[in-house]
């Protein structure tokens, strides 16, 4: 899949994982969490939810604990936030497909409503895969620093993922192509060019009437799920009515933290 205009790598040129400087700078994730705590009164001014279920999927090596601030925030806004309850995410796109399908079906059947899925990093890859498989059960998909497009090997976690999951990131090319392509449901990709784990170009989807990219300036990979500007964007996107989609308005309280929309990129 081609990335947004101006972001695709040159023909035949492989992407590289982020360098050592940005890897070491990932420690700022703690600052992002603290910033969200300090700014919680402002964050709670985001549009309120309509009570529909939201499934929060953690990133590689993370557990439900990593998504706890996100779930707590969404519950306070009025959403029915659900954990994945599958322990630590040790990877395996193919091996976990069945369990993730069951989780989505259970959430959908229990609540009687379509489910929005928010996935951080590898969790976002799972989220897009669920939307490919069961679009009739998915209301929207939001990914945070998720490497699903272009050269998905361009991360600093690739080798560890392959070692722990027993799967290659380029296994099952048909599934990979579907995940990287256009979804039948509204999709938002939130990413940062200063991500120290994932090359940001692997997070960029092809924008359309129901798909968009939101860049968060200076966010880290480990902090993207607790970054105040990212949290605001998630809440804003989830607040859209079922079957409705309007591109993100960057004029909110965190306007300075966002990159320009796709049509403004060079």
């Amino acid at each position: 899949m081609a990335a947004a205009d101006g972001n695709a790598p040159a023909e035949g040129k492989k992407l590289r994982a982020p360098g050592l400087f940005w890897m070491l700078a990932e420690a700022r994730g703690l600052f992002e969490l603290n910033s969200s705590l300090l700014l919680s009164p402002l964050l709670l001014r985001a549009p309120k939810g309509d009570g529909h279920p939201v499934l929060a999927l953690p990133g590689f090596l993370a557990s439900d604990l990593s998504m706890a601030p996100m779930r707590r925030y969404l519950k306070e806004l009025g959403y029915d936030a659900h954990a994945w309850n599958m322990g630590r995410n040790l990877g395996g796109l193919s091996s976990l497909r069945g369990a993730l399908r069951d989780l989505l079906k259970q959430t959908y059947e229990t609540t009687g409503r379509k489910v929005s899925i928010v996935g951080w990093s590898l969790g976002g890859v799972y989220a897009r895969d669920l939307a490919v498989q069961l679009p009739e059960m998915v209301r929207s998909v939001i990914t945070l620093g998720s490497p699903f497009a272009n050269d998905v090997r361009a991360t600093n976690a690739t080798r560890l993922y392959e070692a722990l999951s027993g799967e290659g990131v380029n296994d099952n090319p048909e599934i990979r192509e579907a995940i990287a392509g256009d979804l039948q449901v509204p999709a938002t990709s939130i990413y940062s060019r200063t991500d120290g784990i994932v090359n940001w170009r692997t997070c960029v989807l092809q924008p359309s009437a129901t798909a968009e990219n939101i860049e968060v300036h200076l966010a880290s990979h480990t902090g993207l799920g607790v970054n105040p500007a990212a949290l605001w964007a998630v809440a804003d996107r989830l607040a859209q009515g079922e079957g409705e989609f309007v591109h993100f308005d960057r004029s909110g309280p965190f306007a300075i933290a966002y990159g320009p929309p796709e049509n403004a990129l060079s």
Side-chain angles (χ1 to χ4, degrees):
M1 186 201 85
D5 292 347
N7 294 332
E11 186 73 25
K13 184 179 180 180
K14 290 186 176 181
L15 297 175
R16 291 186 176 184
L20 180 61
F21 173 80
W22 289 117
M23 278 189 65
L24 296 176
E26 282 293 309
R28 70 191 186 280
L30 182 60
F31 172 77
E32 292 170 90
L33 173 60
N34 290 334
S35 296
S36 291
L37 295 175
L38 290 171
L39 294 171
S40 57
L42 179 59
L43 285 168
L44 290 174
R45 292 170 55 188
K48 302 305 180 191
D50 62 359
H52 80 269
V54 180
L55 188 58
L57 303 181
F60 181 51
L61 298 181
S63 67
D64 282 324
L65 182 62
S66 68
M67 301 298 286
M70 172 79 71
R71 294 196 311 275
R72 187 181 309 113
Y73 175 54
L74 296 180
K75 286 179 179 178
E76 289 178 351
L77 289 177
Y79 296 97
D80 181 17
H82 293 252
W84 89 326
N85 295 315
M86 292 171 59
R88 192 168 296 279
N89 184 356
L90 298 180
L93 177 61
S94 296
S95 62
L96 291 177
R97 285 189 108 199
L100 285 165
R101 274 198 309 271
D102 291 343
L103 176 61
L104 174 58
K105 289 178 181 178
Q106 181 183 21
T107 307
Y108 174 77
E109 292 169 358
T110 300
T111 63
R113 303 182 69 176
K114 287 188 176 183
V115 183
S116 288
I117 311 176
V118 179
W120 191 349
S121 193
L122 180 59
V125 179
Y126 297 157
R128 289 183 64 90
D129 187 39
L130 285 170
V132 169
Q133 297 181 75
L134 299 168
E136 69 279 5
M137 297 183 186
V138 178
R139 176 162 164 165
S140 66
V141 169
I142 301 174
T143 59
L144 297 152
S146 299
F148 59 83
N150 293 312
D151 183 4
V152 296
R153 293 195 63 85
T155 83
N156 285 311
T158 298
R159 292 183 179 179
L160 187 57
Y161 169 88
E162 293 180 332
L164 292 180
S165 71
E167 299 180 14
V169 296
N170 288 322
D171 290 350
N172 302 301
E174 299 85 2
I175 296 176
R176 278 289 179 194
E177 184 176 352
I179 291 172
D182 296 331
L183 301 181
Q184 297 181 45
V185 304
T188 297
S189 175
I190 300 174
Y191 71 94
S192 172
R193 297 192 186 213
T194 56
D195 189 314
I197 304 298
V198 170
N199 185 310
W200 66 271
R201 294 173 182 83
T202 67
C203 306
V204 179
L205 54 73
Q206 184 65 43
S208 71
T210 57
E212 65 183 344
N213 299 294
I214 301 175
E215 177 189 355
V216 179
H217 291 312
L218 301 179
S220 66
H221 186 82
T222 56
L224 199 53
V226 293
N227 180 285
L231 288 174
W232 179 275
V234 169
D236 181 88
R237 301 293 76 203
L238 289 175
Q240 298 180 103
E242 185 173 335
E244 300 176 0
F245 188 86
V246 177
H247 283 257
F248 183 56
D249 182 356
R250 290 162 169 77
S251 64
F254 297 96
I256 195 173
Y258 304 116
E262 287 85 359
N263 58 14
L265 292 172
S266 60

